[in-house]
Amino acid sequence: MSFPRFIRRSSKLALSSRSTPLFATSRFSNRPFCSDSNNSSSSSTTASAASYYHLSGGPSHMRAAVFWEPGKPLTFEDFHMPRPKANEVLIKTKACGVCHSDLHVIKGELPFASPCVVGHEITGEVVEHGQLSDSKIIERFPVGSHVVGAFIMPCGSCLFCSKGQDDLCEAFFAYNRAKGTLYDGETRLFLRSNDKPVYMYSMGGLAEYCVVPAHALAVLPNSLPYTESAILGCAVFTAYGAMAHAAEVRPGDAIAVIGIGGVGSSCLQIARAFGASEIIAVDVQDEKLQKAKFLGATHCVNAAKEDAVKKIKDITGGLGVDIAVEALGKPQTFLQCVQSVRDGGKAVMIGLTLSGAKGEVDINHLVRRQIKVIGSYGARARQDLPKLIKLAESGIFNLTAAVSRTCKFEEAPQAYKDLDKGAIAGRAVVEIM
């Protein structure tokens, strides 16, 4: 389906430079836009004209879920239709995963500019391309095509992107993660009620429409469903990055995964796909461990009932695993991960945690036994996302088994509450269609 060009109009706005405490007043018209505490450079950042438009015969605005401040519930607000710029794509969002990274932001555990739209694990339909976009991008993602978006959105031109290390993209970390904007230093989200700008966590995917840099997208074949495929952009994407690039899993490796949530359970499936011989799932909930067996775990350890490190050593004949993956983000499990690997083994850390949290290790053991401690944030969008789609399309990665709950757009705030309580085994996905 092809949409006519947008009708544009603009209104000049500026980001607030005030140091007033966040949300000192209650209504949008008086509400300060941002807090300097999250980003020292935000006070000097200004937005150029905030252009918005509507589809001819289509909507002129959309809804999105907004995070205002820690301890406050997400609210649904009306936004002007977001406008893509050069080499960006406007997506009609079909589904968005519910991830712990969003929850860390919502709880104030990870500093991020606010107010913002969370959600970073999406599928959708291409609606429009930004003006002056490269013709190859338009050819690859024609209007109407189905796509999946990766949460690490590479710029494609920085030092790391030029080396193929999309997961270390300088622009992504300098602009999106540090400032909540895209790579011109501006957001694409403006409230309809008062034209105030709102920040973006990745693409701000918990919305009816979102703008995504083209390098973060891959075509989703019609054979794969929108809902379950959303998790390819973070849960599976993160797991693949850990297994393929950080751990470099080889057939026959013994692997332990500590923390069997959405990402941890995806690690089990990727480890099985890579030919790991022993796959040990570690968690404190029997429900998650029971599901882990279906996803590829050969052994399960309930760390609430037994010593996880000792049990892992027993399973591996006293040696420890070749690779241990920490997918929870706690100092205790960080230490368990390091202690569980054999001499010369790799401890891969992928779980995010409270900002500033520290993990402890036995330095002598680390040195004498050549233990490698490696951080891994995600995969590489341009190279890896198409591979993940093929794994799902072939059935090697079971998307249906990985998604444990689906919910309506309006139910998204409750889904995050349930995630915080540990009531979601696997991954929840919000359907926005």
Side-chain angles (χ1 to χ4, degrees):
M1 181 178 180
S2 178
F3 290 91
R5 288 284 180 183
F6 293 104
I7 301 172
R8 297 175 174 82
R9 57 194 180 93
S10 65
S11 172
K12 290 188 177 181
L13 300 172
L15 300 184
S16 170
S17 61
R18 296 168 59 186
S19 58
T20 307
L22 189 60
F23 311 139
T25 55
S26 60
R27 297 308 303 159
F28 303 145
S29 58
N30 297 317
R31 190 189 299 270
F33 172 53
C34 61
S35 169
D36 294 338
S37 63
N38 282 341
N39 175 20
S40 60
S41 64
S42 65
S43 62
S44 62
T45 304
T46 57
S48 61
S51 299
Y52 45 89
Y53 44 79
H54 67 271
L55 299 171
S56 179
S60 62
H61 55 91
M62 67 161 194
R63 285 194 309 156
V66 179
F67 160 69
W68 295 101
E69 61 179 310
K72 300 294 183 181
L74 297 178
T75 62
F76 290 92
E77 309 294 342
D78 283 342
F79 285 80
H80 296 296
M81 185 64 67
R83 172 194 172 202
K85 298 187 180 181
N87 300 325
E88 297 173 354
V89 182
L90 179 64
I91 305 297
K92 179 176 175 57
T93 315
K94 297 294 186 177
C96 181
V98 177
C99 179
H100 253 106
S101 297
D102 295 321
L103 184 60
H104 284 309
V105 171
I106 292 169
K107 294 174 67 177
E109 295 173 348
L110 285 178
F112 195 79
S114 62
C116 71
V117 173
V118 294
H120 57 273
E121 191 178 59
I122 64 105
T123 53
E125 179 184 347
V126 173
V127 173
E128 181 60 285
H129 304 92
Q131 288 187 330
L132 304 179
S133 289
D134 190 295
S135 60
K136 292 181 180 179
I137 289 174
I138 297 173
E139 291 173 7
R140 185 181 179 193
F141 304 112
V143 169
S145 58
H146 299 187
V147 292
V148 57
F151 83 93
I152 297 180
M153 307 181 300
C155 69
S157 58
C158 71
L159 172 66
F160 290 106
C161 284
S162 66
K163 294 180 178 180
Q165 294 177 285
D166 291 6
D167 48 330
L168 292 175
C169 174
E170 291 176 305
F172 173 73
F173 287 101
Y175 286 94
N176 189 264
R177 281 300 179 266
K179 301 179 180 180
T181 70
L182 292 185
Y183 307 147
D184 59 351
E186 297 179 4
T187 182
R188 304 293 181 263
L189 299 175
F190 297 87
L191 289 167
R192 191 181 178 208
S193 62
N194 55 18
D195 294 344
K196 285 188 179 292
V198 171
Y199 293 116
M200 306 164 65
Y201 190 69
S202 287
M203 71 287 291
L206 205 56
E208 292 174 327
Y209 291 82
C210 62
V211 172
V212 187
H215 290 308
L217 295 170
V219 174
L220 186 70
N222 292 334
S223 59
L224 291 178
Y226 277 129
T227 299
E228 289 80 4
S229 298
I231 70 169
L232 290 169
C234 179
V236 187
F237 188 77
T238 302
Y240 188 89
M243 294 298 179
H245 304 305
E248 299 177 310
V249 177
R250 298 290 182 265
D253 281 346
I255 296 175
V257 179
I258 303 173
I260 311 300
V263 175
S265 59
S266 293
C267 286
L268 300 177
Q269 290 208 59
I270 297 295
R272 179 175 61 183
F274 282 7
S277 59
E278 292 175 309
I279 305 173
I280 306 169
V282 181
D283 205 281
V284 295
Q285 295 186 24
D286 287 330
E287 179 185 0
K288 292 183 178 181
L289 293 173
Q290 188 62 38
K291 186 174 182 179
K293 295 177 182 178
F294 179 73
L295 297 176
T298 58
H299 301 80
C300 293
V301 179
N302 188 320
K305 299 177 181 178
E306 54 189 332
D307 185 323
V309 175
K310 182 179 183 302
K311 186 64 177 178
I312 290 171
K313 293 288 183 70
D314 289 343
I315 293 170
T316 56
L319 294 175
V321 290
D322 298 288
I323 298 154
V325 178
E326 199 284 338
L328 194 58
K330 291 187 176 182
Q332 178 186 0
T333 47
F334 178 96
L335 180 58
Q336 288 175 336
C337 184
V338 176
Q339 293 175 332
S340 298
V341 300
R342 64 165 176 78
D343 293 355
K346 298 176 182 178
V348 180
M349 309 299 169
I350 60 177
L352 292 176
T353 186
L354 180 69
S355 181
K358 303 293 190 296
E360 294 184 354
V361 297
D362 183 331
I363 296 176
N364 288 341
H365 177 73
L366 195 75
V367 173
R368 290 170 175 167
R369 299 303 180 183
Q370 299 181 30
I371 307 300
K372 302 171 185 66
V373 179
I374 308 166
S376 178
Y377 192 47
R380 299 166 183 173
R382 290 176 295 175
Q383 305 98 309
D384 296 336
L385 198 53
K387 297 176 185 177
L388 297 180
I389 290 170
K390 288 189 177 297
L391 284 176
E393 193 174 23
S394 67
I396 294 174
F397 190 97
N398 189 328
L399 289 172
T400 302
V403 175
S404 56
R405 182 194 296 189
T406 59
C407 57
K408 299 177 181 178
F409 193 21
E410 295 76 12
E411 297 171 333
Q414 184 60 49
Y416 283 108
K417 291 179 182 178
D418 291 344
L419 182 65
D420 191 30
K421 296 175 184 176
I424 299 177
R427 198 59 141 200
V429 176
V430 177
E431 295 179 320
I432 310 179
M433 293 178 280

